[in-house]
Amino acid sequence: MTEERPGAAEAVDSVLGALADPTRRRLLDLLATQGEGTATTLAGRLPVSRQAVVKHLAVLEAAGLVSGVRVGREVRYAVRPAALDTTARWMATLAARWDRRLADIKRVAEAAERDSSPTRPE
């Protein structure tokens, strides 16, 4: 994460922590599908109470995954993709590093195999 902007590691940690809970992932899926929703409407689609949904939404909001806007007496939540984008970039960088490491291991193993195999007469 050293190549990312300052605070990116903490942002990724926060996103991964928020997404570790299946109810929060489901809330994020619902919001992504619906566009927006209130705690009441979201609770109607989940097997948890409205109060539990509010707590889960607070975690998602703290991680930067959703934002809430007050409209009258309701708070309407919507997905904020920036935090997911940062996390996806981190994961892609990590995957690329592992791909390079595995390619290096393969190259070394293939060279060792070539060096240890008996020479064939031509």
Side-chain angles (χ1 to χ4, degrees):
M1 293 285 316
T2 57
E3 300 152 9
E4 295 284 333
R5 62 179 168 65
E10 293 82 8
V12 169
D13 289 349
S14 182
V15 167
L16 293 176
L19 294 178
D21 184 278
T23 301
R24 289 194 285 270
R25 289 193 306 271
R26 180 74 179 122
L27 279 169
L28 198 60
D29 285 342
L30 286 171
L31 288 171
T33 301
Q34 295 174 195
E36 69 175 23
T38 65
T40 302
T41 60
L42 293 165
R45 309 267 319 266
L46 296 169
V48 295
S49 69
R50 182 189 174 286
Q51 291 78 12
V53 168
V54 169
K55 289 180 182 181
H56 284 299
L57 288 168
V59 173
L60 291 170
E61 191 166 24
L65 293 167
V66 301
S67 60
V69 176
R70 183 164 291 283
V71 178
R73 294 177 54 196
E74 298 179 324
V75 178
R76 295 188 183 168
Y77 293 90
V79 174
R80 295 180 59 209
L84 282 174
D85 292 343
T86 299
T87 303
R89 279 193 308 276
W90 172 77
M91 292 174 83
T93 300
L94 184 65
R97 287 180 190 152
W98 275 105
D99 287 345
R100 283 192 300 276
R101 288 177 182 163
L102 291 173
D104 290 345
I105 291 169
K106 180 181 178 188
R107 191 174 51 255
V108 168
E110 288 171 346
E113 186 177 340
R114 275 192 311 274
D115 293 346
S116 68
S117 59
T119 57
R120 296 184 191 162
E122 294 184 23

